[in-house]
Amino acid sequence: METKIVVADFEDWRESVHEAVELLKKGELVALPTETVYGLAADVFNDEAVSKIFEVKERPSFDPLIVHVAKRVDLKKVAEVPEELEEVVNALMEKFWPGPLTLVLPKKAEVSDLVTGGLQTVAVRMSAHEVMREAARLLGPLAAPSANRFGRISPTSARAVEEELGGRIPMIIDGGACRDGLESTIVAPQMGKKGIELRVLRPGPVTREDLREFGKVIVVKKEAVEGESVESPGQIESHYAPSTPLLLFEKPEDFKPEDGKKYGLLSYRGEERDGYLELCDWEKIEILSPGKGKLTEAAVRFFYALRLLDGAGLDAIVAEPVSETGIGRALMDRLRRASAKK
Ligand code: TXA
Ligand code: MG
């Protein structure tokens, strides 16, 4: 199959979306930009289209998909909001939608088990990217996981989607680089004994600190085992992984380079004082936040830099840790998963 890449420019982006929607109506898949990472979209109410997502991504069927809606009222097309959660769900949508927050809620009967991996809940978000939102407005709710093959590096540009899925899907809309660069924060709100609890199933651009005013934030740590039924199947340990082994150390001195091997460094700010630059004769160095050490910039560049290192023919990539505050937590989560043994 030939994959057509359409650039959504300022003026004609709506035209490109129309073209994508025509394909979606026919049950085809289209890769669309979001503010987090590119998504691989299908009509959520078309089982045949949804099953193509799993085929194209080589994704196991127990791993559920995120559903994208165009407006807040559309949440109720796919999810049932329990009365006791009505207020907090509205407040969260008010504050973070459109944006990188995914809510896990009881699913509507119309949403098939294919979408939810058999779970009775559905994950829903409203993207801040106008291309994804316009497509969902014209067609209706879209199932859209990240547009990469299962377990691999998430794509933050159309080019990266092409590397992942070129030849397997008919169209990619190029909406530029993703603004946030890391997948959405996934939160399951629930009523606890002492009030609202927000269970964070995946850390992301909306941080713990951002969520605090809406309830008690509980970070779900339990690592899931592949194949087991889990609350958030994306929590499978090895994920977002480059093909090249990724090494993460407690302290820089723990890295013992072997003779004759080619190493790359994923550096946070490219500074000697962090202790990594001088550790060996790096074959390639990518800096996440050159000079400044800004976590938001590091997040935006993370998957892009990892992809560059992964394509450099290295024996291993060493990653500098970043501080675990704000979006740094989501970054370290991705780094740990990328470095987990496969
Ligand atoms: O930013 C994002 O969320 C991107 C863009 C494209 O929207 N999407 C994304 O989708 O990251 P994906 O498929 O790569 O990750 C979806 C994850 C699943 O692996 C699972 O952990 C979680 O969402 N998920 C989906 N449905 C769920 C549910 N009903 N309960 C708990 N977790 C769920
Ligand atoms: Mg993914």
Side-chain angles (χ1 to χ4, degrees):
M1 177 185 296
E2 200 197 321
T3 304
K4 182 174 172 187
I5 302 179
V6 181
V7 179
D9 277 336
F10 288 110
E11 277 150 38
D12 62 3
W13 69 270
R14 277 204 173 78
E15 237 167 82
S16 335
V17 175
H18 274 280
E19 208 178 324
V21 167
E22 285 313 306
L23 286 166
L24 290 166
K25 274 185 191 156
K26 288 186 207 147
E28 297 288 347
L29 308 184
V30 179
L32 302 172
T34 85
E35 77 280 34
T36 57
V37 303
Y38 274 70
L40 179 63
D43 176 357
V44 78
F45 297 120
N46 180 337
D47 277 1
E48 212 174 302
V50 171
S51 63
K52 273 189 201 161
I53 290 184
F54 290 91
E55 207 179 292
V56 160
K57 277 185 60 99
E58 298 166 34
R59 180 175 174 124
S61 62
F62 60 79
D63 196 1
L65 309 174
I66 289 178
V67 179
H68 292 66
V69 295
K71 35 190 189 321
R72 280 185 234 156
V73 290
D74 286 356
L75 172 71
K76 299 204 167 159
K77 288 186 178 162
V78 290
E80 302 279 359
V81 184
E83 214 181 296
E84 56 191 17
L85 297 180
E86 198 73 58
E87 195 181 322
V88 70
V89 167
N90 284 335
L92 289 168
M93 289 195 293
E94 179 75 42
K95 174 86 183 231
F96 299 109
W97 281 15
L101 178 74
T102 296
L103 295 171
V104 172
L105 292 163
K107 79 174 186 76
K108 268 255 154 73
E110 291 86 336
V111 178
S112 85
D113 284 346
L114 263 181
V115 174
T116 66
L119 297 173
Q120 287 312 303
T121 53
V122 62
V124 193
R125 82 180 195 95
M126 183 201 308
S127 173
H129 201 294
E130 58 220 342
V131 167
M132 176 60 93
R133 241 185 19 254
E134 179 72 359
R137 193 181 69 78
L138 293 171
L139 188 106
L142 295 168
S146 53
N148 51 282
R149 280 173 272 148
F150 183 69
R152 289 178 38 91
I153 303 172
S154 297
T156 50
S157 67
R159 176 84 202 279
V161 177
E162 192 187 13
E163 271 174 41
E164 289 292 316
L165 304 177
R168 299 180 183 205
I169 55 174
M171 185 178 176
I172 300 170
I173 293 193
D174 182 350
C178 299
R179 181 194 81 189
D180 291 330
L182 291 182
E183 299 89 343
S184 62
T185 306
I186 303 181
V187 170
Q190 64 183 35
M191 186 54 82
K193 284 204 185 78
K194 290 183 192 150
I196 296 293
E197 294 173 355
L198 302 172
R199 297 168 58 79
V200 178
L201 305 182
R202 178 175 72 184
V206 172
T207 63
R208 255 187 231 191
E209 293 81 359
D210 297 330
L211 291 168
R212 224 170 257 157
E213 64 179 283
F214 299 93
K216 184 172 168 18
V217 178
I218 299 172
V219 178
V220 179
K221 283 251 172 62
K222 180 181 163 283
E223 288 293 349
V225 178
E226 196 157 349
E228 266 182 20
S229 148
V230 287
E231 184 174 8
S232 190
Q235 304 294 87
I236 314 170
E237 208 185 328
S238 168
H239 217 106
Y240 318 105
S243 324
T244 316
L246 186 112
L247 312 174
L248 194 57
F249 298 100
E250 287 283 322
K251 30 187 206 315
E253 307 79 70
D254 293 346
F255 172 48
K256 308 273 181 258
E258 289 172 38
D259 281 348
K261 290 214 163 155
K262 285 194 251 171
Y263 295 101
L265 178 66
L266 183 63
S267 175
Y268 175 32
R269 49 192 176 180
E271 294 214 1
E272 236 163 76
R273 65 187 154 118
D274 293 324
Y276 283 84
L277 284 183
E278 307 288 300
L279 283 178
C280 80
D281 191 6
W282 303 104
E283 185 79 17
K284 190 174 172 67
I285 298 174
E286 286 297 328
I287 301 171
L288 291 176
S289 178
K292 297 206 195 73
K294 287 221 174 74
L295 286 168
T296 45
E297 185 186 19
V300 169
R301 292 174 43 78
F302 176 65
F303 284 128
Y304 167 74
L306 195 55
R307 195 171 277 277
L308 285 181
L309 287 167
D310 198 23
L314 304 164
D315 291 299
I317 300 164
V318 174
E320 291 181 11
V322 303
S323 64
E324 283 191 82
T325 53
I327 199 169
R329 287 209 185 86
L331 256 174
M332 283 306 291
D333 169 77
R334 306 306 188 271
L335 270 178
R336 290 202 180 93
R337 286 177 207 286
S339 69
K341 279 207 186 66
K342 281 190 261 188

